[in-house]
Structure formats: C-alpha cells, structure tokens
Amino acid sequence: MIYKPELGRKILKFLQGEWGDVSEHLTCCRHEPHLPAGTQIINTCAGCDRRYRELYQGITTVSLWELLAKSETFRVPDYSGQVMTVLDACPTRDQDRVHDAVRALLARMNIHVVEPAATRRKGICCGDSFYGVLPVEEVKERMKMRAAQMPCDDVVVYCVSCCKSMHIGGKKPRYLVDLLFGEPTLPGTFEPEEWHRELDVFIAAH
C-alpha cells in the first residue's frame, strides 16, 4: 500500500471475487491487530508473514503468493522465457511454502529462473536489515555485495525493501506484484534514511 495502492486495490478486488468476504486490513503488523481469534491474514509482506506467525495468538497468516499459485482463475502475463533470478526475503527464510509458491508463479508467467548460490533456506539478507545497526554507508555496501551475488540483472523480489536494496546494488528489481500485473517496478524512494522515514510515517499512521 505504500508502494502502489492501486495494485493493492486490484488484488483486493480479485480476492473478493474469488473468496467473497475478504476485508482490507491496514493496521501495521507492528501494532496489535485487534482481530477476532480465528482470523487469517493474507499478506504481501515477508515481515507481516513472520510477525503474524509469531506474535499474535489466534491469528494465522498465508502469503498472497500461495493463494495465487493455487488459483485457477488468476490470469498472469507471459514473459516469453525472460531470464531472472530470485532474492528470497529473509523473514521467510524457513518458509518453503513461500519459496515454492513464488517460483510456481514465475513458472506460470514463463520466466526462466536462475537461482543464486545462496537461496531459499540459505538466503542472505539484502542488507536492509542492518539499517539502524550499522552506518548507512556500510548498509549500502552490504546491499551492493548482495546484489553482486545475483547471477542475473533482473532480480525478482517480494519485499519492497529488497527492491530498494537491489536498485542501490545496480540490479533491476522486479517486484512480484508488478510482474503479476505486467507493470514496471519503480525504485521510488530508495536511499535508506529517506525510505525508512517513509516507512516510519506509514507505520505510525497505521
């Protein structure tokens, strides 16, 4: 919703058409969700995936990627065998279900995936997690180091912060939601300090 709200609305419309009673939940996962026990969250964010799994009793979560990978009605573009690699988001490092679903969607879109050496359960942080721990220039160096490990220029990401990191590292990030809707990925705000200020404003407001 901070990146392309209009795509968020398209996703919600599809989910409601497919499953009926799906409501929009905009409370940031860093805050108490105030949802009734038994609620399932459909997430598009790896951080949300982990926090809803670990922090909130009675709430379950499933990634949008898993639902779309199983859907027989969601239409995807054909990328005609374009070659890309995948940067797995570190909050899902131990979640094979997410890794498998992402790759199933890429296969359905006729994208040829070349895996990096460190991938899936052996994946390495894009560098953004070090923001606030290391000086900003060191954070950016880690982003560049991780980007250099990607075997292709086009890097599929399913975390918006990973998108920023790959852009800083000189790669061409391809955000999974953009790929699913045939749209280009825009770096937007990418300098770590500016991006995290933008995130903090969103978190505080939601």
Side-chain angles (χ1 to χ4, degrees):
M1 294 303 293
I2 198 174
Y3 170 60
K4 285 185 180 179
E6 67 278 9
L7 290 187
R9 288 188 285 272
K10 285 184 179 181
I11 290 168
L12 180 61
K13 184 177 180 180
F14 171 79
L15 293 174
Q16 290 172 335
E18 188 94 339
W19 286 285
D21 188 19
V22 179
S23 58
E24 187 176 59
H25 179 73
L26 291 179
T27 301
C28 177
C29 65
R30 296 175 185 269
H31 306 312
E32 173 61 48
H34 299 294
L35 293 169
T39 299
Q40 183 173 64
I41 292 285
I42 302 169
N43 72 75
T44 58
C45 164
C48 291
D49 191 287
R50 182 170 63 190
R51 290 187 191 96
Y52 282 115
R53 275 187 283 116
E54 297 177 354
L55 298 182
Y56 303 114
Q57 190 172 1
I59 308 297
T60 59
T61 190
V62 62
S63 68
L64 175 68
W65 328 125
E66 293 169 81
L67 297 183
L68 296 185
K70 294 174 184 175
S71 172
E72 296 180 357
T73 59
F74 187 75
R75 304 296 181 191
V76 298
D78 185 336
Y79 286 91
S80 305
Q82 286 186 39
V83 179
M84 303 183 192
T85 192
V86 181
L87 174 63
D88 288 303
C90 50
T92 64
R93 186 172 291 131
D94 60 349
Q95 301 297 308
D96 296 329
R97 61 185 173 86
V98 176
H99 306 153
D100 292 343
V102 167
R103 286 155 178 83
L105 287 171
L106 296 176
R108 192 189 298 179
M109 290 187 280
N110 194 12
I111 292 171
H112 178 72
V113 175
V114 178
E115 297 281 2
T119 190
R120 291 180 176 258
R121 285 181 173 256
K122 296 180 180 178
I124 298 170
C125 175
C126 69
D128 187 73
S129 293
F130 292 97
Y131 181 80
V133 178
L134 297 175
V136 172
E137 288 308 313
E138 288 187 36
V139 172
K140 292 171 73 171
E141 284 305 311
R142 286 179 180 265
M143 292 174 173
K144 293 172 184 176
M145 287 170 57
R146 185 59 176 137
Q149 296 168 359
M150 297 292 110
C152 307
D153 286 335
D154 288 78
V155 181
V156 178
V157 297
Y158 46 98
C159 163
V160 178
S161 290
C162 289
C163 175
K164 315 297 184 179
S165 296
M166 290 301 99
H167 176 74
I168 287 172
K171 295 293 185 176
K172 183 179 180 181
R174 307 295 297 268
Y175 182 46
L176 186 52
V177 179
D178 283 326
L179 288 171
L180 290 167
F181 286 96
E183 294 202 4
T185 296
L186 309 173
T189 305
F190 61 86
E191 287 293 339
E193 290 177 307
E194 295 175 25
W195 168 235
H196 280 270
R197 275 197 295 270
E198 194 170 325
L199 277 176
D200 288 343
V201 168
F202 182 88
I203 292 167
H206 296 82

